[in-house]
Amino acid sequence: MFHTNKLTAAVSILIFSAAAYAEQCSTDYLAPYTQLGGDVSDNKIYVEADDSESDFNLANFQGNVQVRQGNKHIHGPQINYEKGKAEFYGEKEIMFSSPETVIKGDGVNYNTDIDVITAEKADYYLAGKTDKKGDRGAQGSGKNIRFDQKNKIDTMQDVTWSTCNRENQTWHINAKELKINRNTNRAVAKNATFQIKDVPVFYIPYISFPINGERASGFLMPSMASTEKRGVEFRIPYYWNIAPNQDATFTARPMTKRGLMLETEYRLLTTNQRLNFNGNILPSDKKYDERNRWQLATDYQYQFSHDWKAEVLFQNVSDRDYLDDMEGDFRLYDEWYLDRYARISGRGDWGSLQAQIQDYKIASRNILDRDKPYSRLPQVEYFKSWELPAELQLDTRVEAVRFHKNNYGDAARFTAEADISRRFETNYSFVEPKLTGNIRHYDFSPDNNAFRDGKKTIFTPTFSLDSGLVFEREFHFGDAFTQTFEPRLFYLYTPNRTQSDIPDFDTAERSKSWNWLFARNRFVGGDKIGDANQLTTAVTTRFNRQSDGSEKARLSVGQIQYFADRKTALYGEKGRQENKSVLVGEGKYALDSHWSIYGLSLWDTDKHNNERNVVELRYDLDEDRYLRFGHHYTEDEYNQLTLAGGWRINSNWRMFAREDYSLQTEKNTNALLGLEYEDCCWAWRLAGRRWRDNHDDIKAHNGVYLEFVFKGLGNVGSRTGGMLQEQLDGYRPLTQEK
């Protein structure tokens, strides 16, 4: 049963009590008694007391009584021992302790033969079982307590359970019955209420939860969220610890606007294989014409040996709206396609080999079939390097691939390529000539005249000469630095070969960056080798601190001079005729150990404008205190300012923020503000977000996300941690969420 008014009151109590009280993780008053020690192998019983009386069967000890057997201890003002039953018992203020368990209360009885402790009424403490930060163990109180140390089965009635400080419990479970199985490291509570402070929020007839960080079968903590597309939704997961190397999670996900979705995850890990499977189904989606919605994802890897492995990735969804409506954990080729492949690869002294089949599933209604990438059915690649006499290096690559796309047809491409190079290098210079021969053979089989028919063979040679010098001098500006001056020349020549009739099966233009200046082909993929007669002129200067060698500053500038027009272009496009490229500048400056600035600029010297510009100012004080300010500009695409950061206010509080502002549309495209509180036993995280899917959209979406982390139980609410990791470079999840 869910009490809305009580939940609202509880949330208010949680947030405002957190503001007024920052818990310092004090140790439970019973916890030190787990450290009393003792020789486990010593079964003798030792007793110390101020006074004692005894007969043949019964002994009575009074005044500061201390009993020890191995690593188990009993303390109290008065303790009796009955030899016939092998039992110690005491009426008032009796404490039993072992490395795992401490109880203190009334009517305590310890049977040394069967290693069982009982108590009529007592406080208890269970020590943490892992080395994880925050695993402080659990505490509470109960009646009719029975701790079976031998069989590791504990039971209690009218009991409380919490990982919070006993003196100030933020949350606890109050149950009629509690059974703790320390063999499986899980506890089961029946007829329980989950309480925040003194406010009962949930009635739970049955709940199973872990007593430490180890895996164990049972129900996990449910979660709840609310979205515009799915309404109010719950996730009720059941975890099955099948074996030490495999597990499964089954989740019921009722959604008020959609229906009931069933989710399954299975994981397997051995010394030579790894498997992850996810499958979800939503029968009769109420907002999708009562159609069934589903997803499948399988990621498998098998290691035959150190050098050979097989990999399979299969992903599928019922329709193109699924990801937008339901979300999901997928590996995307980009934001519109699901990648699927099966491949085998190996390496050795003989080279490296990979054979695969690869396909893509369109997962967006905004993408047309003609824009889907070509499938590779199949593709085989081989690579081998040789070290030849005279320090020559020979690299060879062979590829055979068949491309296919429905309604467009097939094309087979065979490629053989060889590079021979020699690097001449000293401590102040290098020169590296390289000669490449590339031969491609195509066999076209188009459908619907999608592209040319027949066969075609192309041979393309490429020559490059890369060279550079390094000059150094001492430079003093406060500290002592070594300044370098590094001029670099890169010449590239590739004759023109007619390729305009070849479709771009897997080819696109290379993105412009600093490394683009020294690329031997302005295209990526195998269908185009750009003709070139060009020279890159570049220079870099660095300032390295002499005391530790760290880089204080770096500045690089370079440009390509073209000696001929570039005729080769992507399919259906025209060549280019400019005589020089954009001027590329890149730099980084460390203001101090915390502040740094990075910049990248692509300046068109003919048009006198920026083609692309990136400026990023970073501040990193430590892993929880960081700031980012950036300006990202690409001509005719976007012009955006970004301010983001996370800041730990103190040991309990963190705040997060991000703002993206489009200078084109003069609108906020993405805004995020979050606040997090954490102490020893719980945490909460509140975040608000407002965003647009595209920078020029008129409509903006709003979201408010609240999540609770009850340590030892799980998370309740929206999944804010994943969103913050996606939005903030530098966000660090809580220890319990890793």
Side-chain angles (χ1 to χ4, degrees):
M1 184 177 180
F2 182 72
H3 302 281
T4 305
N5 58 334
K6 291 185 178 181
L7 178 62
T8 303
V11 170
S12 302
I13 292 172
L14 276 174
I15 295 176
F16 288 109
S17 65
Y21 174 74
E23 192 171 6
Q24 299 302 314
C25 297
S26 59
T27 302
D28 189 84
Y29 84 100
L30 296 179
Y33 294 97
T34 62
Q35 307 298 320
L36 296 180
D39 185 357
V40 166
S41 62
D42 186 0
N43 291 321
K44 294 180 181 179
I45 298 174
Y46 302 88
V47 181
E48 295 181 15
D50 294 341
D51 192 13
S52 66
E53 296 178 1
S54 65
D55 57 26
F56 179 76
N57 186 52
L58 183 65
N60 177 267
F61 304 98
Q62 297 181 9
N64 298 313
V65 184
Q66 299 183 40
V67 181
R68 176 172 60 86
Q69 183 185 38
N71 60 359
K72 301 177 179 67
H73 303 261
I74 306 174
H75 303 263
Q78 180 177 344
I79 297 176
N80 298 321
Y81 177 71
E82 189 172 347
K83 184 178 179 181
K85 296 182 179 179
E87 288 183 351
F88 286 94
Y89 62 91
E91 295 297 328
K92 296 289 184 181
E93 296 295 314
I94 307 300
M95 178 183 297
F96 171 89
S97 66
S98 71
E100 300 84 18
T101 306
V102 182
I103 64 171
K104 182 179 181 181
D106 301 336
V108 176
N109 183 303
Y110 173 48
N111 188 302
T112 60
D113 282 351
I114 60 176
D115 206 5
V116 170
I117 310 99
T118 61
E120 296 175 4
K121 180 181 179 182
D123 291 343
Y124 70 87
Y125 173 79
L126 303 179
K129 302 293 185 181
T130 70
D131 294 329
K132 287 185 178 180
K133 178 182 177 182
D135 185 5
R136 303 171 56 249
Q139 56 76 25
S141 60
K143 297 178 180 178
N144 300 326
I145 296 174
R146 187 179 193 274
F147 281 19
D148 188 336
Q149 299 283 91
K150 184 177 181 180
N151 297 311
K152 297 184 178 181
I153 301 292
D154 308 328
T155 59
M156 291 175 265
Q157 295 178 351
D158 296 330
V159 60
T160 64
W161 167 284
S162 180
T163 59
C164 297
N165 283 343
R166 191 185 301 269
E167 296 79 10
N168 196 329
Q169 291 190 148
T170 302
W171 67 268
H172 68 274
I173 290 176
N174 197 332
K176 287 293 184 183
E177 297 180 34
L178 180 66
K179 182 177 182 180
I180 302 170
N181 188 330
R182 283 179 278 131
N183 298 296
T184 60
N185 291 315
R186 290 198 76 83
V188 172
K190 296 180 180 179
N191 294 323
T193 56
F194 179 77
Q195 297 189 194
I196 296 175
K197 293 297 183 180
D198 295 323
V199 179
V201 178
F202 291 100
Y203 169 72
I204 312 171
Y206 176 94
I207 183 173
S208 173
F209 54 91
I211 62 172
N212 59 20
E214 298 178 6
R215 303 183 306 164
S217 299
F219 283 98
L220 305 180
M221 196 67 177
S223 63
M224 182 190 71
S226 179
T227 62
E228 181 182 349
K229 293 184 177 181
R230 299 184 295 275
V232 177
E233 59 179 289
F234 294 86
R235 275 187 165 95
I236 306 170
Y238 179 84
Y239 177 79
W240 181 20
N241 187 24
I242 303 171
N245 67 328
Q246 57 181 317
D247 58 21
T249 304
F250 307 97
T251 303
R253 184 184 176 187
M255 298 171 280
T256 57
K257 292 186 178 181
R258 299 283 181 174
L260 176 63
M261 174 176 280
L262 301 177
E263 303 177 342
T264 300
E265 179 186 22
Y266 173 76
R267 301 185 301 178
L268 171 69
L269 180 65
T270 68
T271 55
N272 58 355
Q273 62 180 327
R274 173 185 56 79
L275 170 65
N276 283 75
F277 169 81
N278 288 276
N280 300 348
I281 184 168
L282 171 62
S284 305
D285 186 343
K286 292 186 285 187
K287 290 192 68 175
Y288 209 73
D289 297 329
E290 298 295 328
R291 292 166 56 185
N292 295 337
R293 316 286 298 281
W294 52 267
Q295 77 167 61
L296 288 173
T298 300
D299 184 6
Y300 180 73
Q301 179 177 307
Y302 189 90
Q303 196 80 33
F304 297 101
S305 65
H306 180 267
D307 297 325
W308 285 92
K309 68 178 180 179
E311 299 171 279
V312 176
L313 175 65
F314 179 80
Q315 305 176 110
N316 204 0
V317 290
S318 56
D319 53 81
R320 296 188 181 186
D321 297 315
Y322 184 90
L323 289 185
D324 190 43
D325 290 343
M326 303 296 172
E327 303 173 349
D329 296 323
F330 291 97
R331 288 164 60 181
L332 302 177
Y333 175 75
D334 56 30
E335 59 183 308
W336 302 300
Y337 312 107
L338 300 177
D339 194 8
R340 295 104 68 90
Y341 56 76
R343 63 172 62 123
I344 185 170
S345 57
R347 61 183 181 180
D349 295 337
W350 47 268
S352 61
L353 176 71
Q354 177 175 286
Q356 72 168 351
I357 55 174
Q358 187 174 29
D359 185 26
Y360 304 96
K361 169 76 173 183
I362 297 178
S364 172
R365 187 171 291 278
N366 299 323
I367 300 302
L368 301 176
D369 288 342
R370 67 166 181 258
D371 298 321
K372 176 186 174 183
Y374 281 85
S375 302
R376 296 173 173 90
L377 305 172
Q379 180 188 38
V380 180
E381 293 179 288
Y382 172 77
F383 177 83
K384 169 68 175 172
S385 292
W386 286 271
E387 293 183 1
L388 303 180
E391 298 185 26
L392 291 172
Q393 176 79 23
L394 176 64
D395 297 324
T396 59
R397 175 180 170 270
V398 178
E399 179 200 44
V401 57
R402 173 181 173 268
F403 295 105
H404 172 78
K405 187 189 294 189
N406 289 339
N407 301 319
Y408 284 79
D410 303 332
R413 184 184 73 201
F414 175 82
T415 304
E417 184 176 273
D419 301 330
I420 188 166
S421 61
R422 168 72 159 86
R423 187 174 179 89
F424 303 88
E425 192 169 16
T426 68
N427 59 358
Y428 60 86
S429 66
F430 75 91
V431 176
E432 184 176 1
K434 181 182 285 188
L435 180 64
T436 302
N438 177 286
I439 185 168
R440 286 168 290 154
H441 175 75
Y442 288 88
D443 189 353
F444 301 101
S445 301
D447 291 340
N448 306 317
N449 297 314
F451 45 81
R452 59 156 293 176
D453 201 353
K455 295 178 172 60
K456 183 167 186 171
T457 302
I458 308 171
F459 174 75
T460 309
T462 295
F463 171 75
S464 66
L465 180 64
D466 197 4
S467 61
L469 294 170
V470 179
F471 300 95
E472 292 184 353
R473 69 164 186 169
E474 288 193 6
F475 180 84
H476 293 270
F477 187 75
D479 292 337
F481 295 92
T482 298
Q483 182 188 5
T484 68
F485 182 74
E486 307 169 30
R488 183 177 178 183
L489 294 175
F490 177 75
Y491 177 74
L492 179 65
Y493 177 77
T494 302
N496 180 51
R497 297 291 185 262
T498 302
Q499 303 167 67
S500 59
D501 56 343
I502 300 176
D504 303 320
F505 296 112
D506 64 353
T507 301
E509 280 202 70
R510 189 181 299 273
S511 298
K512 294 178 181 178
S513 64
W514 176 254
N515 292 330
W516 166 80
L517 293 171
F518 310 99
R520 302 183 78 242
N521 187 7
R522 62 180 180 271
F523 301 99
V524 293
D527 297 309
K528 299 290 189 297
I529 297 178
D531 55 315
N533 185 9
Q534 63 191 53
L535 176 68
T536 297
T537 306
V539 63
T540 296
T541 184
R542 307 173 197 269
F543 294 85
N544 299 323
R545 189 175 282 105
Q546 291 185 0
S547 60
D548 59 8
S550 62
E551 186 179 81
K552 175 70 173 179
R554 180 183 76 250
L555 179 63
S556 303
V557 179
Q559 189 175 42
I560 303 174
Q561 305 295 322
Y562 300 112
F563 305 128
D565 295 342
R566 276 83 58 224
K567 299 180 176 62
T568 305
L570 294 176
Y571 193 59
E573 297 184 7
K574 296 181 180 180
R576 297 184 176 179
Q577 300 177 339
E578 64 268 16
N579 57 17
K580 57 188 174 183
S581 74
V582 294
L583 183 68
V584 180
E586 184 185 49
K588 185 177 182 181
Y589 180 71
L591 286 79
D592 56 27
S593 59
H594 304 300
W595 287 95
S596 65
I597 186 169
Y598 169 82
L600 173 68
S601 177
L602 277 58
W603 178 260
D604 191 321
T605 56
D606 291 329
K607 298 178 181 178
H608 301 287
N609 71 309
N610 264 330
E611 188 175 292
R612 183 184 174 207
N613 188 55
V614 175
V615 178
E616 293 180 347
L617 179 65
R618 301 172 64 98
Y619 177 75
D620 292 279
L621 182 60
D622 53 43
E623 62 181 5
D624 270 338
R625 289 178 288 183
Y626 54 90
L627 298 172
R628 309 283 186 262
F629 177 78
H631 175 227
H632 297 261
Y633 168 81
T634 299
E635 189 177 20
D636 299 327
E637 290 188 23
Y638 60 85
N639 187 7
Q640 179 175 289
L641 294 173
T642 297
L643 176 63
W647 202 263
R648 179 169 289 283
I649 302 169
N650 56 35
S651 60
N652 299 100
W653 292 90
R654 289 195 298 177
M655 66 178 300
F656 314 97
R658 173 169 175 162
E659 174 115 19
D660 297 317
Y661 181 79
S662 172
L663 296 173
Q664 287 175 288
T665 61
E666 297 183 342
K667 295 178 181 177
N668 291 322
T669 58
N670 183 33
L672 169 71
L673 184 63
L675 185 66
E676 178 187 270
Y677 173 84
E678 179 196 17
D679 64 27
C680 304
C681 71
W682 75 295
W684 61 263
R685 192 183 297 122
L686 177 66
R689 188 181 175 211
R690 179 180 175 84
W691 76 98
R692 290 179 169 84
D693 293 328
N694 300 291
H695 69 271
D696 54 354
D697 285 356
I698 297 176
K699 182 182 178 182
H701 306 283
N702 298 301
V704 177
Y705 311 91
L706 178 62
E707 182 174 21
F708 295 96
V709 181
F710 298 106
K711 298 180 181 181
L713 286 180
N715 294 30
V716 177
S718 306
R719 297 180 177 181
T720 58
M723 179 187 69
L724 290 173
Q725 279 188 290
E726 179 182 319
Q727 292 288 318
L728 296 173
D729 172 27
Y731 173 77
R732 184 179 62 91
L734 300 175
T735 302
Q736 290 73 22
E737 298 177 305
K738 293 180 180 179

